[in-house]
Each structure stands twice: as C-alpha cells, then as structure tokens.
Amino acid sequence: MINNQTIEEEDNKTTIKVSDRNNKEEITSSYSTKPSNQQDEKEEEKPFYIYILAHGLHGFKSDFQYIAKQLTDLYTNNKENALIINSEFNEKKTHQGLEVLGKNLLLEVLKHIYEQEKEVKKEIKLQHRKIFLSVVGHSLGGLILRSMIKLLFFDLLDENSTFCKENRNELETFREYYLQCIEPYLIPTSFLTISSPHLGSRRPGGGFFKNTYRFLAHSFMNVLGKTGSELKFEDSNILEECLLYKMSIPNSDFIKALLKFKYRTLVSAIHFDTTVPFASSSIRSYNPYEIPPYSKPSFSITGYCTRFDKDNYVPLFKKYGKKKKEVMDVVEEFEDEQTGKIEELHTFINWKRTGTEFEPFDGEVNSEDKVFYRDNYFEVEYPIQVLKNLQSIEWRRVDLEFTVESSLQSRAIHVVVVRKKRPLNLGGGVEEFDLVGEQCVDFVCNLLKIDANTLQTEKI
C-alpha cells in the first residue's frame, strides 16, 4: 500500500490531498466518464484529457499498467473525463527503427480514439471542448514519442505528406474524424520521458573495463536492427543524416512538435541506470551528483530545475524531496533568450546547472575529430552538436536518487522507475523495489495531473 496523492479543484484552486490506495489491477487502456455534480459548470464544457503511454525497447503494454491505473484513478476519483491509451502496436517490433515505430504508434492512437467515439458520445460530446494531450515515454518510448508527435502535428495535417500517402487506407476514416473532432480543440500539455536515451546509447570507453563494456554494449546494439544503429548514430555514414541528429535540428518539425507542449520534462536516475545513463536521459553533459553508498532500496528527488509554479508543485516535491528539512524551492531570475523577458527559475536549494542549457558545458572531447564528447562519469558518448541542438529549447528536469544494497540490485533501476517487473530478481529486495516503483509512479502521475490542472486554469 502506498500514499496516493489526488488533486481536487474548487473555485479555480488546486488542492492536493494524500490518501491511501492499494490496487494492483492491470489496466492497459481505460476511459472514465463520470459526470460532475457541480451545478455551475455544464458537462459539455468540461475539458477532456488524453494520455498516450509508450513502452521501451523489447517492452510491452504491461510495462505501463501501474501508471495507466493510477492516472485512471486520479481522473475517476475527481469526476473528470480522461482517455488513457496504453500502446501495444510496437510490441515485439522495437528493432524496426524510430520512424516506423512512431508511425505505428500514431496509427494506433488514431484508431483507438476513433473506436472510442461511440462509447464516448454516450456520455459526453468531444466537439467544442478543450482536449488536453499529454504523452509519457519510458526508455526508447521517449524517442518513439518524439517521432510520433512530429507526424501528429505536421505530417498528418498534410494529405500530400509521405505519411498520409503511404498509409492512406488506414487513415481514410481515422484522419477525417481526428481533423474534425479532435485537432481543432487539442491543447498539447505535457511531454514527459522517463529514462529515455535522448543523446543516444554510445559508450565512451576509457580504460580496460570501460573499453570492454563499450565493446559489449555496442555489440548488443548491433543485434537490435535499425533501432540499434540509430542509437549509436551509425544509421548513416554521414552524421548529419543520422535520424537522432535530424531529430535534434533546431526549427525542424521534430523540435517544433516538442515546442507545442507547454511542459517538457526529463525524469532521470542520477546513478545506477546502466541501460540509459543520466547524461543521455537528462540531456546534459555533467552529472553533479555523487554516487550514493549502498543501503536499503529507496527513492527520492534529489534535484529539479524548471519554471514550476510554487503553489501547485511544491507539496508534491516536498513529499518525495530528499532534503525535507531544507528550503525546497529557490527562485532565481534569468533572461529568456527567445523572448528577452525576465523569467523565474525554480530549483532545489542544492541543484547545479552545469551541463544544462542554463549553464552550457560541452563535456570532454572523446574522438580525434572532436565530433563526439563524453560526460564526466564516462557513461555516454554523444555528438556535441546534438547536445547543443537539444539544449536550444528549455527542459524541465527531475533528478531521482535511488539507493541499492548491491551492484546486482542496481540492474533493476531502469525498470523499477515505472514499477515494471524485473526479468530476474537478482540481489533480492523484491518488496522494497515494489514500494520504490509505486512511489515513482505516484510522483509521475501526480506531476502530470498538476500540469494539466495548471494549464487548464490558464486556458479558462
């Protein structure tokens, strides 16, 4: 059993309450349509929420069962309307390359929304109401979402695009319904990734053991088909033609799609995630955190940086923040390079900017041609221009600290963050990791809910 945080709205105010919950039922895709009892708000004017969940490499829809379940509970308990789409079309296909995976996901989403039309209309009418869209990706799922939203916001709207031409039969009905009933009222809200390799998965080597690890890791990616080549920036002989590079180019449709979301959040494990190290998931070249000593499995937020609204977000961060007795929120002013306006930067008292867009740092050169660099912990090798490109837009970062009792247990961190079952329970600690996973899920779901509530208030 864990403490579940729910959000209720009254008189345009957000109230965060903590209550007990203990429900492990698997939910892969769900829809809640309980009407509001408030007399001063017509049901047809209430907003609608859509969440798209994308699993990672060799993943399954069950990877997101706990996040899907808790999001459903949050909206049902608050008598709000939400559609949770837990994707499955890419199961056993994740080696096919990000463009194919993004296409598969979009077709699944459009099909799912259309097939829910009759059921939805029994209770509510989607037309002419605000529809808040949020997407959540774990591991490779974060990159699949970046491919998918580019198709959603640009290619889908152009009937002469390659995407529309190649998928004309599948899109014949779905596209028309989306363009008429969904797209005009869609409000992109949260783009959130959990341990996703935005800087790729190349390993830098350095010394016998790290060089050996680099060889083994890259050899493993060789069997992952096109996706593996893309993660290594080896899907083309020309770096600028590699897909991950093209997905980072400023003013490209990929970046424009990201900029449509009000909130762009990177959730990362500061250490022990050997599958997707901190530098790649947090899009930063410098890891300021020391490796925590071995101890009982636990989870806490050790740092964050973003324009969090203090009144709405601080209670959630206090709940899981590491330094509970210290001031949790520090506000600094900085000039936004895009708008020239003076903005506020909310951070933990101990958060360091080094290696982010707020304090750029290239890292250390890791190739003779000075194209590839590495982070300070020798965990990720990345093209320096990709780092700079992705840092040309602002990101929210939430840095998670996990503790483990052994190096064997550390292998679980990459999957525990979404409460995914470990394939092998090496090192023990099953019950402790289940609790850690539930806490991570609780944090992510409530963060998404607060994002939606905050943006909804702004849009009224």
Side-chain angles (χ1 to χ4, degrees):
M1 179 178 294
I2 65 172
N3 288 328
N4 178 38
Q5 201 171 42
T6 60
I7 297 97
E8 297 179 356
E9 289 186 335
E10 182 178 358
D11 298 330
N12 292 332
K13 293 182 179 179
T14 299
T15 303
I16 300 177
K17 296 184 177 181
V18 178
S19 60
D20 290 333
R21 65 180 293 270
N22 186 12
N23 192 330
K24 298 182 180 180
E25 177 184 356
E26 178 177 344
I27 296 291
T28 59
S29 180
S30 51
Y31 175 62
S32 61
T33 58
K34 293 191 177 182
S36 173
N37 293 325
Q38 295 181 359
Q39 300 299 319
D40 60 345
E41 181 179 18
K42 295 181 180 180
E43 176 62 25
E44 62 267 20
E45 295 177 353
K46 291 191 59 138
F48 190 81
Y49 304 88
I50 296 178
Y51 287 88
I52 301 171
L53 312 179
H55 63 72
L57 188 69
H58 297 152
F60 295 88
K61 62 184 180 183
S62 58
D63 297 353
F64 267 102
Q65 62 176 299
Y66 291 97
I67 287 181
K69 172 60 180 170
Q70 183 151 349
L71 283 172
T72 301
D73 289 347
L74 283 173
Y75 282 93
T76 301
N77 293 342
N78 286 286
K79 301 178 182 179
E80 296 173 293
N81 305 309
L83 177 63
I84 317 297
I85 302 175
N86 195 354
S87 64
E88 60 179 312
F89 275 24
N90 283 324
E91 289 184 356
K92 299 181 180 180
K93 302 174 185 175
T94 52
H95 64 283
Q96 294 180 350
L98 293 172
E99 289 181 311
V100 173
L101 298 175
K103 179 203 73 173
N104 291 346
L105 178 57
L106 179 54
L107 291 175
E108 177 181 13
V109 168
L110 295 174
K111 179 175 183 291
H112 191 94
I113 292 175
Y114 177 78
E115 290 181 345
Q116 289 287 329
E117 177 186 15
K118 291 183 180 179
E119 179 180 348
V120 168
K121 285 185 176 180
K122 291 178 182 179
E123 300 287 346
I124 62 172
K125 186 178 180 181
L126 279 182
Q127 291 93 329
H128 310 299
R129 68 163 63 216
K130 296 181 178 70
I131 302 174
F132 293 85
L133 172 69
S134 294
V135 299
V136 187
H138 172 241
S139 194
L140 185 70
L143 300 184
I144 296 173
L145 285 172
R146 285 174 55 195
S147 174
M148 186 274 287
I149 61 174
K150 179 256 189 185
L151 298 175
L152 176 68
F153 293 135
F154 295 100
D155 298 57
L156 184 62
L157 305 185
D158 180 6
E159 63 180 359
N160 294 317
S161 67
T162 301
F163 171 73
C164 285
K165 289 181 179 179
E166 292 181 349
N167 301 279
R168 193 172 301 279
N169 291 336
E170 295 96 322
L171 292 172
E172 184 176 358
T173 304
F174 307 151
R175 181 174 180 270
E176 180 181 0
Y177 174 71
Y178 173 80
L179 294 180
Q180 290 182 0
C181 302
I182 304 297
E183 196 274 336
Y185 316 106
L186 197 66
I187 302 174
T189 305
S190 292
F191 177 92
L192 185 146
T193 63
I194 307 169
S195 301
S196 293
H198 295 286
L199 296 183
S201 297
R202 293 177 63 93
R203 299 299 186 255
F208 175 77
F209 290 106
K210 289 189 179 293
N211 285 334
T212 301
Y213 181 67
R214 173 191 172 98
F215 172 79
L216 294 174
H218 288 200
S219 297
F220 172 73
M221 283 186 279
N222 288 338
V223 304
L224 299 180
K226 190 172 184 179
T227 302
S229 297
E230 290 169 349
L231 291 172
K232 291 190 298 177
F233 294 91
E234 293 180 357
D235 49 311
S236 173
N237 293 327
I238 302 173
L239 176 62
E240 290 76 12
E241 294 298 319
C242 291
L243 182 58
L244 284 185
Y245 188 99
K246 291 191 291 186
M247 289 173 65
S248 76
I249 297 175
N251 297 318
S252 66
D253 286 348
F254 290 106
I255 296 299
K256 289 178 181 177
L258 281 170
L259 288 171
K260 286 183 178 292
F261 287 88
K262 172 71 172 181
Y263 309 107
R264 298 175 298 277
T265 308
L266 307 171
V267 178
S268 310
I270 61 171
H271 288 293
F272 300 134
D273 189 340
T274 55
T275 304
V276 181
F278 179 76
S280 192
S281 61
S282 189
I283 311 182
R284 63 183 298 183
S285 57
Y286 184 81
N287 186 339
Y289 304 106
E290 296 181 358
I291 300 175
Y294 287 144
S295 61
K296 182 179 178 180
S298 68
F299 150 79
S300 63
I301 299 170
T302 192
Y304 74 84
C305 173
T306 186
R307 301 174 191 174
F308 282 119
D309 179 272
K310 184 174 181 179
D311 293 336
N312 288 353
Y313 293 94
V314 167
L316 179 61
F317 281 88
K318 280 188 174 180
K319 180 179 179 182
Y320 291 117
K322 180 180 179 182
K323 299 193 174 219
K324 298 182 182 297
K325 294 183 179 180
E326 293 189 12
V327 176
M328 300 297 295
D329 192 61
V330 176
V331 182
E332 302 176 62
E333 290 187 347
F334 72 99
E335 183 176 346
D336 190 304
E337 293 182 357
Q338 296 179 347
T339 66
K341 296 180 179 179
I342 300 299
E343 303 285 357
E344 289 186 346
L345 177 70
H346 294 261
T347 69
F348 257 130
I349 194 170
N350 64 329
W351 196 81
K352 296 187 174 98
R353 303 183 191 183
T354 307
T356 70
E357 59 271 20
F358 300 106
E359 190 177 308
F361 172 69
D362 292 347
E364 301 295 334
V365 176
N366 208 58
S367 64
E368 293 182 359
D369 56 7
K370 297 183 180 180
V371 171
F372 286 94
Y373 282 61
R374 62 165 175 80
D375 66 296
N376 58 311
Y377 272 96
F378 286 80
E379 292 182 323
V380 181
E381 181 181 73
Y382 49 86
I384 183 59
Q385 194 57 49
V386 171
L387 173 70
K388 292 182 176 181
N389 288 346
L390 289 176
Q391 288 188 355
S392 67
I393 63 176
E394 183 183 328
W395 298 89
R396 306 193 309 180
R397 292 175 175 82
V398 180
D399 305 334
L400 309 182
E401 178 177 294
F402 294 91
T403 57
V404 296
E405 293 179 309
S406 66
S407 59
L408 287 177
Q409 284 189 351
S410 67
R411 300 293 301 173
I413 297 305
H414 186 68
V415 297
V416 163
V417 71
V418 291
R419 181 57 164 89
K420 177 181 174 180
K421 287 293 185 181
R422 292 178 288 168
L424 295 174
N425 291 319
L426 299 175
V430 176
E431 293 183 359
E432 291 89 346
F433 277 121
D434 283 347
L435 176 59
V436 166
E438 290 170 356
Q439 292 172 336
C440 291
V441 166
D442 183 67
F443 168 76
V444 167
C445 290
N446 280 286
L447 178 60
L448 290 166
K449 185 68 170 66
I450 297 172
D451 283 348
N453 287 354
T454 302
L455 186 55
Q456 179 190 341
T457 300
E458 294 178 2
K459 294 293 181 179
I460 293 178

